[in-house]
Amino acid sequence: MKSVLMIMLFVLPLISMTQELNQTVRGTIVDQFSKEPLPGANIILPGSEPLRGTTSDVEGKFRLDKVPVGRINLKISYLGYNDVSLNNLPLTSGKELVLHIQMEEMAIQAEEVEIKARVDKTRSLNKMATVSSRSFSVEESQRYAGSRNDVARMAANYAGVWGIDDSRNDIIIRGNSPIGLLWRLEGVDIPNPNHYGAMGTTGGPVSILNNNLLANSDFMTGAFPAEYGNAIAGVFDLNMRSGNNEQHEFLGQVGFNGFELGAEGPISKENGSSYLLNYRYSTLELFDLLGMNFGTGTAVPKYQDLSFKINLPNTKLGNFSVFGIGGISDIAFLDSEKDTTENKLDFYGGEGLDLTNGSDMGAIGITHTLNINKSSYTRFVVSGTYHKFQTQVDSIIPSTHDIVPKYRNDFTQVKLFSSLEYNKKINARHNYTVGANINQLNFDLVDSAYNENVDRFNIITDYQGSTYLLQTYFQWQYKITNEITLNPGIHWQYFGLNGSSNLEPRLGFQWQYATDRSISLAYGYHSQLMPITTYFNQEQLPDGSYVKPNKSLDLLKSHHFVVAHDWRISQNIRLKTEVYYQKITDAAVNASKEDSYSVLNQGANFYIATPDSLVNKGTGENYGVDITFEKFISNGLYYLLTASVYESKYKGSDAVERNTAFNGAYVINALLGKDFDMNKVFTKSKKNNTLNIDIKSVWAGGQRYTPINVEESLKENHTVYYDDLAYSRQFKDYFRTDFRIAFRQDAKNLTMEWAIDFQNIFNTRNIYSRQFNTKTGEISEIDQLGLLVVPQFRIEF
């Protein structure tokens, strides 16, 4: 830590300059639905003296040169369209600001009409989304304390999200299991985008998604539009930005997530093609050598990842882009190599086990967009994804310290994905989208558990084969007036393995009943596959043969109702309240006996084995209130206060209503940040100096857990739970405060930032789990992370 501070103090004085710091702001302006360029749009810089501005050309492009660095405002206007105001955009000297702006045509146009500037930060980029959705900027994931440059951890600040696991970035939405979340990147449904991500889960300790390559994206928490399927909880719809198509730019970064190198620039300036590339390698091994304990015990996480995008616009056949992400990771928790006199269990390991884990993930795709005419376009995507997950678990006999095999796993899944979407703007009032996609699913799934009575492994899953998931959808937007909008739609999906299908109506309604207030209503019927490995569980018959009892499982289904009220108190302050109810049916529960198991608890920290045979007879319900009070950044100040009060219940095959593993009951997040202009402090410096301070606190109901049956655990030499008391206990409330301080300095064509993130600054003891220690026969409480100091350095040029 001392060495990092010395480097910061040494490097800061080295940069000097004498000229004023300026940068270029440019971009493209298009119609929101047809994507047709809007020539002649007016772009001005409010507050500039003298007032500066420009107009878009025939291709909708605009350019403003020599704009002073700092936070800037833009106002865009076009006859017959609602104005767009973009406030407090960060402009640095090390990187051009390139924008893609979509404008919404007014439904009813009078001869004389006053068009008021609107800021749409409260809404998602997808205009078919009526409620429970919002867009977010990459800057937020970089700026928010405790986010670790991870969009998933950033989302934990939003209403309806319960994120109290320091070890993983699982997104738990309104009491749903994290497996109910859909990850989508560039229009492609992707597998778990996290290092050490198990198949059938959606979270992990470190994200493969690199926020340095992302553009503004959407996060949805319920009743989402018809184009999204195979999810019942929420959607992360992510977009990758295109590289700079006029000049080469470079990035270097060292932080919690790794050593990073990035580059972008033009391939051909004539046709506007560009490339974008970023590579990252784990720094946790280095931090471990420096004596910084991340709670992983003797294990050192090792991983690396690569992301890229190649953009080829304006070809004779339309616009093309090629994109990809990929990551490899491995780790080993070896209790057998620990000091035998130490009985302490680790944050990630424990229970007297040797555990090794490896996970590889990749996705690559090609997108083709073709403008058919001025009112319609098609989008065609072809992609392939790969996910491999391997685990080896061995038991350690307490008395002899002998190592005995326990579990082996080798799962591989390859998906071939294609989609075609047609978008049509009929007129200012009517727009529709129709599309279809198909996932070809290819599996090689093998896992087994050791049976010491017969000294052999019993096969749990052994499947090599393929199937497919087909989805189609139609969604329509009808602007009844400028203030009232209707968004109906329908989605259908079909699972080729067993012929299960579901027809899902969606409906959204929004009424802007005052210039600063609106009411929204939405209903969504959703469904998704069970965790894919569940379908291929094997059960051995008395004659030695195997059957797959779960192959005919139906889809998990959900009805979601939402009512929302949005009040824009001022241009930069809003208060939003949402009330929701979700009814879940056809959840997989135990078919062989009556017990507490349900797939609705999948992804909980406290593992309970999946029964061999399942049936769609489980139910669940989630209901609650989400409140968001937010100030978007202005004059350097921003804050976000969210509160959620909810209940999450389920019934297993025993028909007893219980709390789900994710029923924390409430969560409150408070975040406050401020940018300070430091040029008055550094009076002799000609550089642009900015200090950012950000603090965040979360207070939430504790994790639910099932009590441990000590007597049976001693007999079995592994943890045994009281099934009839499933999730009946709850840890004490979770509380954590994170603090981040960052200093940014702009020189000519160069931006550097030094930051330190102090996570859990009060060193609050939050409980991670209760585990049975086979060495002592006692139950131990394992703590989550204590105070963690994460330095970061970033350079753009």
Side-chain angles (χ1 to χ4, degrees):
M1 189 64 201
K2 292 182 179 179
S3 61
V4 173
L5 294 174
M6 290 180 65
I7 292 173
M8 292 172 61
L9 293 174
F10 175 74
V11 176
L12 273 171
L14 295 182
I15 304 174
S16 63
M17 57 162 287
T18 58
Q19 53 272 77
E20 182 182 1
L21 295 174
N22 297 313
Q23 187 53 277
T24 297
V25 179
R26 58 187 177 89
T28 306
I29 301 174
V30 300
D31 181 273
Q32 172 184 287
F33 284 98
S34 70
K35 310 304 179 187
E36 186 70 14
L38 298 179
N42 293 311
I43 303 99
I44 63 170
L45 285 164
S48 57
E49 295 183 4
L51 185 65
R52 292 190 58 189
T54 186
T55 58
S56 57
D57 62 18
V58 293
E59 296 178 338
K61 296 180 180 179
F62 71 92
R63 185 185 190 95
L64 290 165
D65 291 315
K66 296 184 179 181
V67 179
V69 300
R71 291 199 174 270
I72 65 167
N73 300 326
L74 285 177
K75 181 179 179 181
I76 302 94
S77 59
Y78 190 74
L79 183 62
Y81 283 70
N82 290 315
D83 287 4
V84 173
S85 292
L86 303 174
N87 297 326
N88 293 284
L89 299 172
L91 183 65
T92 65
S93 59
K95 187 175 183 58
E96 288 187 341
L97 181 59
V98 183
L99 302 169
H100 183 72
I101 300 169
Q102 302 182 61
M103 300 191 72
E104 180 183 13
E105 188 174 5
M106 301 178 67
I108 300 175
Q109 301 176 25
E111 291 183 2
E112 295 183 6
V113 61
E114 180 184 1
I115 305 175
K116 296 183 179 295
R118 303 194 316 171
V119 182
D120 283 336
K121 295 179 181 179
T122 62
R123 297 184 60 188
S124 64
L125 300 177
N126 188 323
K127 300 308 178 183
M128 297 288 188
T130 308
V131 298
S132 303
S133 62
R134 64 170 295 155
S135 63
F136 64 90
S137 68
V138 174
E139 187 202 11
E140 290 173 319
S141 65
Q142 296 170 341
R143 177 167 25 101
Y144 285 2
S147 293
R148 303 182 191 173
N149 294 322
D150 181 351
V151 294
R153 295 184 190 275
M154 176 206 65
N157 293 283
Y158 298 151
V161 180
W162 187 58
I164 64 168
D165 187 344
D166 297 347
S167 68
R168 296 172 58 85
N169 62 4
D170 288 299
I171 300 174
I172 298 166
I173 299 172
R174 294 175 171 174
N176 284 282
S177 163
I179 68 171
L181 177 73
L182 171 67
W183 284 101
R184 176 170 287 187
L185 177 68
E186 290 288 290
V188 175
D189 298 350
I190 61 174
N192 189 342
N194 290 282
H195 290 294
Y196 313 105
M199 192 173 296
T201 65
T202 60
V206 181
S207 177
I208 296 174
L209 294 165
N210 193 306
N211 66 347
N212 291 315
L213 277 70
L214 294 178
N216 289 358
S217 302
D218 284 345
F219 179 63
M220 307 177 188
T221 56
F224 31 87
E227 68 178 270
Y228 304 106
N230 197 29
I232 68 166
V235 177
F236 239 128
D237 191 355
L238 303 169
N239 302 304
M240 295 181 74
R241 64 183 179 87
S242 297
N244 193 316
N245 59 9
E246 292 188 3
Q247 67 180 33
H248 295 279
E249 296 175 336
F250 303 95
L251 163 75
Q253 182 169 295
V254 181
F256 179 87
N257 290 340
F259 288 95
E260 296 185 36
L261 295 174
E264 61 182 282
I267 298 174
S268 170
K269 292 184 179 181
E270 294 182 0
N271 60 26
S273 59
S274 64
Y275 71 91
L276 180 65
L277 179 69
N278 189 285
Y279 172 75
R280 180 170 55 182
Y281 188 87
S282 168
T283 54
L284 294 185
E285 184 174 6
L286 174 61
F287 289 161
D288 182 73
L289 294 175
L290 295 174
M292 302 175 70
N293 184 5
F294 284 80
T296 60
T298 59
V300 178
K302 301 176 182 179
Y303 55 86
Q304 51 188 312
D305 51 62
L306 176 73
S307 303
F308 72 91
K309 182 177 181 180
I310 299 172
N311 193 40
L312 305 170
N314 306 317
T315 73
K316 294 181 179 179
L317 299 177
N319 302 320
F320 290 87
S321 66
V322 182
F323 61 93
I325 63 170
I328 58 175
S329 54
D330 63 85
I331 194 169
F333 301 95
L334 304 177
D335 282 9
S336 61
E337 296 185 2
K338 293 180 181 178
D339 186 347
T340 57
T341 63
E342 185 179 357
N343 292 322
K344 182 181 177 182
L345 300 178
D346 286 327
F347 184 36
Y348 285 87
E351 293 200 358
L353 300 174
D354 277 359
L355 184 150
T356 61
N357 167 252
S359 177
D360 303 334
M361 177 269 178
I364 188 168
I366 301 174
T367 299
H368 173 245
T369 304
L370 179 64
N371 291 328
I372 299 174
N373 51 45
K374 292 186 177 182
S375 64
S376 62
Y377 71 95
T378 61
R379 188 182 192 216
F380 179 61
V381 181
V382 178
S383 72
T385 66
Y386 172 83
H387 190 197
K388 185 178 182 64
F389 184 76
Q390 293 178 304
T391 305
Q392 177 177 315
V393 183
D394 296 324
S395 297
I396 303 170
I397 305 300
S399 57
T400 64
H401 301 288
D402 291 336
I403 299 175
V404 177
K406 182 177 179 66
Y407 178 74
R408 300 290 185 268
N409 153 276
D410 189 350
F411 289 166
T412 301
Q413 177 178 268
V414 177
K415 291 184 181 181
L416 302 177
F417 175 88
S418 63
S419 70
L420 178 62
E421 183 179 272
Y422 174 73
N423 295 267
K424 175 67 175 178
K425 179 177 180 178
I426 301 174
N427 53 42
R429 289 191 176 191
H430 298 277
N431 310 276
Y432 71 84
T433 300
V434 60
N437 63 67
I438 186 169
N439 264 299
Q440 177 73 25
L441 311 174
N442 305 282
F443 305 103
D444 188 352
L445 309 173
V446 179
D447 72 334
S448 56
Y450 182 72
N451 187 336
E452 58 185 17
N453 295 325
V454 294
D455 191 25
R456 71 180 184 193
F457 280 91
N458 290 338
I459 302 297
I460 302 173
T461 308
D462 186 3
Y463 179 80
Q464 295 78 39
S466 64
T467 185
Y468 65 92
L469 177 66
L470 174 65
Q471 301 178 75
T472 62
Y473 58 90
F474 173 82
Q475 50 190 28
W476 167 44
Q477 182 171 91
Y478 174 33
K479 299 178 183 177
I480 302 172
T481 67
N482 285 330
E483 294 77 26
I484 302 176
T485 302
L486 190 66
N487 291 317
I490 193 163
H491 181 277
W492 177 74
Q493 64 182 23
Y494 176 86
F495 187 34
L497 180 70
N498 56 27
S500 56
S501 65
N502 199 45
L503 188 66
E504 304 164 9
R506 318 279 174 86
L507 180 63
F509 171 83
Q510 185 176 61
W511 176 29
Q512 187 84 29
Y513 70 91
T515 56
D516 58 353
R517 304 184 189 193
S518 66
I519 293 176
S520 302
L521 311 172
Y523 163 74
Y525 188 31
H526 309 277
S527 66
Q528 74 173 89
L529 301 178
M530 301 297 171
I532 200 67
T533 56
T534 302
Y535 293 96
F536 308 113
N537 282 357
Q538 295 190 161
E539 186 176 358
Q540 190 173 22
L541 300 178
D543 62 1
S545 63
Y546 288 90
V547 295
K548 295 181 174 64
N550 300 330
K551 192 173 181 179
S552 60
L553 279 174
D554 201 354
L555 302 171
L556 178 65
K557 302 179 181 70
S558 165
H559 297 271
H560 206 148
F561 303 86
V562 185
V563 179
H565 182 267
D566 202 335
W567 177 22
R568 180 59 63 86
I569 299 173
S570 67
Q571 183 179 16
N572 294 301
I573 300 177
R574 67 117 171 207
L575 175 65
K576 185 173 185 178
T577 304
E578 292 196 340
V579 180
Y580 64 88
Y581 175 78
Q582 183 182 18
K583 179 64 177 179
I584 302 173
T585 63
D586 297 291
V589 296
N590 200 335
S592 58
K593 66 176 181 179
E594 294 182 350
D595 64 10
S596 66
Y597 173 82
S598 173
V599 72
L600 299 183
N601 295 312
Q602 189 84 13
N605 285 333
F606 317 110
Y607 178 76
I608 295 180
T610 302
D612 292 332
S613 181
L614 301 172
V615 64
N616 293 98
K617 292 186 177 180
T619 61
E621 61 178 3
N622 303 308
Y623 53 90
V625 180
D626 295 336
I627 300 174
T628 299
F629 183 61
E630 182 170 16
K631 180 185 186 299
F632 303 108
I633 188 167
S634 61
N635 299 320
L637 178 67
Y638 58 93
Y639 53 77
L640 175 63
L641 177 65
T642 63
S644 300
V645 180
Y646 69 99
E647 287 290 335
S648 179
K649 304 288 186 178
Y650 83 101
K651 292 182 180 179
S653 58
D654 59 5
V656 176
E657 185 178 70
R658 295 182 171 89
N659 294 301
T660 69
F662 311 106
N663 188 11
Y666 69 92
V667 56
I668 299 171
N669 288 285
L671 182 145
L672 174 67
K674 172 71 175 175
D675 282 347
F676 296 92
D677 184 350
M678 302 300 291
N679 293 319
K680 295 181 180 179
V681 177
F682 296 92
T683 56
K684 296 182 179 181
S685 172
K686 300 297 183 179
K687 301 175 289 295
N688 188 69
N689 304 282
T690 306
L691 181 71
N692 172 260
I693 294 177
D694 187 284
I695 187 167
K696 171 208 169 178
S697 290
V698 56
W699 180 23
Q703 180 75 269
R704 294 277 175 181
Y705 69 94
T706 302
I708 296 172
N709 187 328
V710 176
E711 183 177 348
E712 290 298 316
S713 298
L714 287 171
K715 290 180 181 179
E716 299 293 333
N717 197 34
H718 65 82
T719 307
V720 178
Y721 298 94
Y722 285 106
D723 180 77
D724 59 330
L725 299 177
Y727 308 111
S728 60
R729 305 286 194 271
Q730 188 174 19
F731 292 138
K732 67 177 184 180
D733 289 352
Y734 177 97
F735 180 80
R736 172 175 147 173
T737 299
D738 301 326
F739 176 78
R740 183 179 186 270
I741 183 169
F743 181 80
R744 189 180 73 241
Q745 194 169 60
D746 289 290
K748 184 178 181 181
N749 301 323
L750 176 69
T751 299
M752 296 197 300
E753 182 182 76
W754 297 262
I756 302 180
D757 211 336
F758 300 89
Q759 299 183 13
N760 195 4
I761 59 174
F762 300 121
N763 201 29
T764 306
R765 180 180 179 265
N766 293 305
I767 302 174
Y768 173 69
S769 68
R770 299 174 79 243
Q771 295 185 4
F772 177 73
N773 194 321
T774 56
K775 296 179 181 179
T776 65
E778 298 177 348
I779 296 174
S780 301
E781 287 187 347
I782 311 303
D783 290 345
Q784 303 213 50
L785 292 178
L787 173 64
L788 181 64
V789 181
V790 182
Q792 177 178 289
F793 172 72
R794 176 188 177 94
I795 183 170
E796 293 178 333
F797 57 96

